[in-house]
Amino acid sequence: MLDFLYEYGLFLAKVITFCVAVIVVVGFLVMAGQNRRHQSKAGHIEVRNLNEEFEDMTDTLDHAMMDKFQFKQLRKSQEKAEKLEAKQNKAEAKKLAKQAKAEDAKAQAEQEIVPSAKKRTFVLDFDGDIKASAVEFLRHEISAIISVAKTTDEVIMRLDSSGGMVHTYGLAASQLGRLNKANIPFTICVDQIAASGGYMMACMANHITAAPFALVGSIGVVAEVPNVHRLLKKHSIDVEVLTAGEHKRSLTVMGENTRKGREKFVEDLQKTHGLFKHWVKQQRPNLDIDLVANGDVWYGQQAIDLGLVDEVGTSDEVLQEAVKQSDVLLIEYVAKKTIGEKFGIAAATSLSLLGNRLLSIAQRHSIGR
């Protein structure tokens, strides 16, 4: 029995040593990868055809509910309809080409002649954190869409964000403004929340759809600054805050805050709030901005009465309708993983499997006793 415990303890010591070594190596690699990430974020655009996904779901249900003969007849009629639609699209494309040639506008002809005259709908997803980190991918996705989209196409974004930093959400909203400048129709769908910076983005759309109980609004500004000056003073710790410029620092975390500093900080918040209100009013001129810009939030079915949104519904409803009328393409920018990230994922998986294996061994020995 003692020999077994000795061998088992030695085995565990080796395993722990190995695990610690792996974790240290992974830590260094991940840190190196994070440092390089700020220098270069190489990646590529991926496209998914949502029409095909919807069709696959429909086919699966049809196949389950129909007998073989019914399903075969359905497929024949669908193929016939698809051929007819392709023929009509081809004829429309030829008509456009003929018109362009007649007008002797070579550049216009190159732009208008496409394999299909069918409308295209580009779908984007934005899941916002406090720093609006997804804006780094959004800028690439917007650039890709603008490079190929026509004014007859459309962009739909599924937006989910409770807001965050002013400058990062300001950049995200500005990226969406590029679609407006390109005259591409733009719809934003809010299934859960578009508040504060999230609404700063949402109001850039030509049309906003919100689920009945989605939270919308929060047109306000908030800042929290902890202060530990009294705690430091109690322990006789002095902190000197040195600045050059009267307004370089209004409130501090460790220094003693003054009334003048607080007043300046509140003044800056009011200015930011004013810019936020002006931004929303520019995008949605019919809003009673003084009524809705008090920092409050509303559910989707309330927000429509206030003019914060244009329609109550879910993104699924919007996309299902779009599939009937256009080719719906989900656009996603995918960043290339660094060596550290790849190794980290592999190491984490290996450690998880090893942990499960050790737990299984321990349980067997426990049962054996």
Side-chain angles (χ1 to χ4, degrees):
M1 184 65 180
L2 290 176
D3 290 340
F4 167 76
L5 291 175
Y6 174 77
E7 292 292 335
Y8 190 67
L10 187 62
F11 169 72
L12 283 179
K14 289 179 180 179
V15 169
I16 292 171
T17 303
F18 172 75
C19 291
V20 170
V22 169
I23 291 170
V24 170
V25 172
V26 169
F28 278 117
L29 289 173
V30 170
M31 285 190 293
Q34 288 175 339
N35 291 333
R36 287 196 298 273
R37 189 181 305 160
H38 295 290
Q39 300 172 3
S40 174
K41 197 69 178 178
H44 62 278
I45 291 289
E46 289 188 357
V47 182
R48 281 169 48 198
N49 190 311
L50 297 187
N51 297 68
E52 294 176 358
E53 294 186 10
F54 276 103
E55 288 171 6
D56 288 343
M57 287 190 292
T58 303
D59 284 346
T60 301
L61 288 173
D62 286 338
H63 191 268
M65 295 185 296
M66 298 179 179
D67 58 37
K68 290 183 179 180
F69 177 76
Q70 289 176 319
F71 186 71
K72 187 176 180 180
Q73 292 299 112
L74 176 65
R75 289 302 299 154
K76 281 184 178 180
S77 63
Q78 288 175 341
E79 288 171 4
K80 186 177 180 180
E82 288 170 2
K83 287 179 181 179
L84 179 61
E85 184 181 9
K87 187 177 180 180
Q88 290 173 342
N89 289 338
K90 187 176 180 181
E92 185 65 23
K94 285 183 177 180
K95 183 180 177 181
L96 291 172
K98 189 175 180 180
Q99 289 175 351
K101 187 176 181 181
E103 294 170 3
D104 195 26
K106 185 178 179 181
Q108 182 181 352
E110 289 176 352
Q111 182 179 359
E112 294 294 336
I113 298 174
V114 291
S116 172
K118 193 174 183 180
K119 173 184 173 182
R120 294 169 301 182
T121 298
F122 301 97
V123 180
L124 299 173
D125 286 324
F126 191 94
D127 189 3
D129 57 16
I130 194 169
K131 297 192 295 182
S133 304
V135 73
E136 292 301 320
F137 295 167
L138 177 65
R139 64 203 316 170
H140 296 294
E141 294 163 355
I142 297 290
S143 295
I145 290 172
I146 289 176
S147 68
V148 298
K150 302 184 297 181
T151 55
T152 53
D153 295 328
E154 184 183 7
V155 174
I156 296 175
M157 171 179 276
R158 294 180 288 195
L159 173 65
D160 181 21
S161 175
S162 56
M165 297 179 179
V166 175
H167 59 286
T168 51
Y169 273 93
L171 176 59
S174 298
Q175 291 294 335
L176 299 182
R178 297 168 60 196
L179 296 171
N180 296 333
K181 291 179 181 177
N183 295 317
I184 302 170
F186 179 32
T187 296
I188 278 185
C189 299
V190 183
D191 286 331
Q192 297 186 64
I193 184 168
S196 194
Y199 191 76
M200 183 186 289
M201 294 177 65
C203 70
M204 299 302 296
N206 307 120
H207 189 86
I208 304 175
T209 299
F213 290 95
L215 291 174
V216 179
S218 189
I219 304 172
V221 184
V222 63
E224 296 182 38
V225 183
N227 185 268
V228 296
H229 173 71
R230 287 188 295 174
L231 178 63
L232 296 174
K233 187 176 180 180
K234 180 180 178 180
H235 293 279
S236 301
I237 300 173
D238 294 326
V239 176
E240 295 186 7
V241 180
L242 307 177
T243 63
E246 182 183 359
H247 298 145
K248 181 61 180 176
R249 182 73 70 239
S250 52
L251 295 184
T252 72
V253 175
M254 293 183 288
E256 183 176 6
N257 290 320
T258 64
R259 187 182 69 178
K260 185 178 179 181
R262 292 189 186 92
E263 290 174 351
K264 178 64 174 68
F265 196 83
V266 172
E267 180 186 340
D268 290 341
L269 291 180
Q270 294 291 354
K271 287 180 180 178
T272 304
H273 189 212
L275 288 171
F276 192 178
K277 289 166 62 177
H278 179 68
W279 178 272
V280 174
K281 185 66 175 177
Q282 274 189 316
Q283 315 309 322
R284 299 183 72 84
N286 294 329
L287 266 181
D288 183 348
I289 195 65
D290 293 325
L291 176 64
V292 299
N294 58 1
D296 205 349
V297 293
W298 292 270
Y299 293 114
Q301 51 195 353
Q302 298 171 322
I304 194 169
D305 296 329
L306 294 168
L308 288 164
V309 303
D310 303 298
E311 185 179 358
V312 173
T314 66
S315 63
D316 304 287
E317 295 173 89
V318 174
L319 289 179
Q320 279 196 310
E321 190 61 33
V323 164
K324 298 175 185 178
Q325 305 170 7
S326 61
D327 290 325
V328 182
L329 306 172
L330 177 62
I331 309 299
E332 183 180 10
Y333 184 82
V334 179
K336 184 179 179 182
K337 287 184 173 62
T338 64
I339 295 175
E341 289 170 331
K342 290 179 181 177
F343 188 79
I345 293 171
T349 303
S350 299
L351 287 174
S352 177
L353 292 172
L354 180 60
N356 291 336
R357 179 65 176 167
L358 290 175
L359 180 62
S360 177
I361 292 172
Q363 288 174 338
R364 284 204 304 269
H365 282 297
S366 176
I367 293 170
R369 291 175 187 171

